[in-house]
């Protein structure tokens, strides 16, 4: 089995659902508590043993490159003023020199096209794919869980979760076959099927391990749902030649591309932090309790 070393993270999306915040700032830099959502994906990938990151960026995304770069003036200032905790935090965040590559998706043609833009940097080896809008919450990251499955099955592995039956047209949906160890065989994949014709209510939650043969297929992929080049369509074609496995994520993925998911993620991650938990609980209670500020609104 080919060792998994690289992760592709597409960060070229326009973020129109978060305008005006995303007018001059990449949506991947929106913060959940005090970290950009992109940072959560990078940490999740490190936890799963990833060594090299390929970020597929686009226009107006330079804040992302700056975020992962060294900031000597800031470090010197923190050192001088004795702010050792913050200094430590920034040093921990700093990726090893040369461990992040950037490439640009020159026009927004869909997720499949964004992934295809990473082909030369990934080369002929399997890779993880993390969609950073989807923020993994739980004791163990979603990518680490599917890596565990991959280590016993090989092939291509996708994390799934259940959605409400009426929500199938928002996601890629898989059909479930035989159980295999910690996962199951995928029998079918459809991008955004209408409720009623979907093969199940198990949706692709934004974490994948893919074999490099997907790149050739993406190169000739025609447009699908939303008139975009869809990764799910290419995976469905690759399934004719290679095995695909699913694993139910034991945790919860917050869709930070939606306002509700983003707000829920902020609350969940804040409640998980010991230094914030009580005050945040108190703060929420003061808004919603019977005589709170927001009652009756
Ligand atoms: C993309 C994928 C879809 C997946 C979803 C998860 O869709 O195409 O298969 O279920 O991410 O967030 P998008 O959210 O870009 O429409």
């Amino acid at each position: 089995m080919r060792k998994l070393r690289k992760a592709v993270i597409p960060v070229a999306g326009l973020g129109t659902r978060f305008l005006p915040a995303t007018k001059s700032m990449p949506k991947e830099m929106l913060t959940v508590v005090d970290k950009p959502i992109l940072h959560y994906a990078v940490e999740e990938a490190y936890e799963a043993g990833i060594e090299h990151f390929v970020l597929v960026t686009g226009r107006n995304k330079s804040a992302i490159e700056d975020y992962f770069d060294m900031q000597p003036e800031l470090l010197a200032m923190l050192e001088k003023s004795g702010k050792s905790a913050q200094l430590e935090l920034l040093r921990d965040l700093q990726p090893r020199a040369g461990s992040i590559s950037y490439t640009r998706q020159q026009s927004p043609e869909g997720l499949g096209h964004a992934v295809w833009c990473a082909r030369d940097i990934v080369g002929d080896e399997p890779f993880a794919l993390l969609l950073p809008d989807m923020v993994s919450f739980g004791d163990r990251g979603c990518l680490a869980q599917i890596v565990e499955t991959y280590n016993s099955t090989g092939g291509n592995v996708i994390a799934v979760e259940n959605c409400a039956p009426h929500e199938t047209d928002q996601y890629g949906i898989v059909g479930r076959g035989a159980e295999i160890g910690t996962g199951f065989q995928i029998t079918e994949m459809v991008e955004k099927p209408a409720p009623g014709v979907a093969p199940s209510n198990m949706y692709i939650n934004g974490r994948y391990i893919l074999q490099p043969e997907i790149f050739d297929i993406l190169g000739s992929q025609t447009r699908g749902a939303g008139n975009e080049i869809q990764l799910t369509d290419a995976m469905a074609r690759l399934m004719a030649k290679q095995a695909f496995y699913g694993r139910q994520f034991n945790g919860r993925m917050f869709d930070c591309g939606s306002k509700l998911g983003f707000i829920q993620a902020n609350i969940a991650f804040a409640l998980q932090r010991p230094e914030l938990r009580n005050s945040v609980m108190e703060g929420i209670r003061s808004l919603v309790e019977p005589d709170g500020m927001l009652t009756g609104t």
Side-chain angles (χ1 to χ4, degrees):
M1 188 192 310
R2 293 183 282 190
K3 189 175 179 306
L4 182 71
R5 300 185 308 131
K6 295 181 180 170
V8 173
I9 308 186
V11 291
L14 297 176
T16 45
R17 281 194 282 178
F18 273 90
L19 282 169
T22 49
K23 186 167 171 241
S24 61
M25 164 185 153
K27 64 171 174 164
E28 297 77 13
M29 295 302 289
L30 291 171
T31 52
V32 166
V33 186
D34 51 12
K35 278 192 288 197
I37 61 170
L38 175 57
H39 189 145
Y40 288 89
V42 169
E43 281 183 343
E44 185 190 338
Y46 274 132
E47 179 203 356
I50 294 298
E51 296 162 12
H52 192 100
F53 295 87
V54 183
L55 268 55
V56 183
T57 70
R59 297 178 67 226
N60 302 324
K61 298 280 181 169
S62 52
I64 291 178
E65 292 183 40
D66 290 342
Y67 183 75
F68 290 111
D69 197 4
M70 197 79 103
Q71 259 226 51
E73 302 81 8
L74 180 60
L75 296 180
M77 189 276 282
L78 292 173
E79 187 132 41
K80 209 169 138 204
S81 49
K83 299 206 157 123
S84 50
Q86 285 90 335
L87 200 59
E88 203 56 36
L89 197 74
L90 292 190
R91 288 202 170 123
D92 282 354
L93 150 77
Q94 194 63 50
R96 214 161 43 88
S99 64
I100 301 195
S101 304
Y102 298 92
T103 186
R104 276 198 181 202
Q105 184 187 23
Q106 292 159 333
S107 53
E109 297 183 45
L111 175 61
H113 180 257
V115 173
W116 181 72
C117 290
R119 68 198 179 284
D120 285 349
I121 306 179
V122 172
D124 189 24
E125 54 180 289
F127 62 99
L129 171 65
L130 299 95
L131 309 189
D133 281 0
M134 303 300 274
V135 176
S136 167
F137 183 75
D139 293 340
R140 194 158 161 239
C142 186
L143 189 62
Q145 295 184 22
I146 61 170
V147 166
E148 182 185 59
T149 302
Y150 175 71
N151 287 338
S152 64
T153 59
N156 301 270
V157 185
I158 297 174
V160 299
E161 281 175 72
N162 297 331
C163 65
H166 68 270
E167 288 173 339
T168 57
D169 58 359
Q170 296 173 28
Y171 301 105
I173 303 289
V174 306
R176 187 183 187 120
E179 304 290 315
I180 295 189
T182 53
F184 59 88
Q185 246 161 5
I186 291 179
T187 54
E188 149 178 34
M189 280 179 265
V190 197
E191 184 66 15
K192 304 193 170 72
V197 299
S200 74
N201 66 338
M202 283 192 317
Y203 77 94
I204 300 171
N205 77 357
R207 297 296 181 270
Y208 314 71
I209 297 169
L210 297 170
Q211 296 298 326
E213 288 72 23
I214 195 73
F215 291 125
D216 270 350
I217 296 183
L218 282 169
S220 65
Q221 186 60 49
T222 51
R223 287 167 193 275
N227 197 30
E228 292 188 338
I229 298 173
Q230 293 291 353
L231 175 65
T232 307
D233 295 345
M235 294 194 302
R237 283 168 66 207
L238 182 57
M239 212 166 61
K241 296 188 198 133
Q242 290 187 2
F244 274 77
Y245 303 95
R247 172 162 177 165
Q248 187 87 32
F249 174 38
N250 181 14
R252 176 163 177 184
M253 202 62 98
F254 288 109
D255 180 0
C256 289
S258 82
K259 288 184 182 114
L260 175 63
F262 178 70
I263 292 164
Q264 284 181 316
N266 268 284
I267 296 171
F269 278 92
L271 291 177
Q272 205 190 31
R273 296 257 289 259
E275 78 283 13
L276 290 175
R277 185 179 172 81
N278 291 342
S279 55
V280 171
M281 287 276 256
E282 195 43 50
I284 295 172
R285 219 175 276 130
S286 75
L287 293 174
V288 298
E289 66 193 3
D291 56 351
M293 255 180 87
L294 298 183
T295 348
T297 57

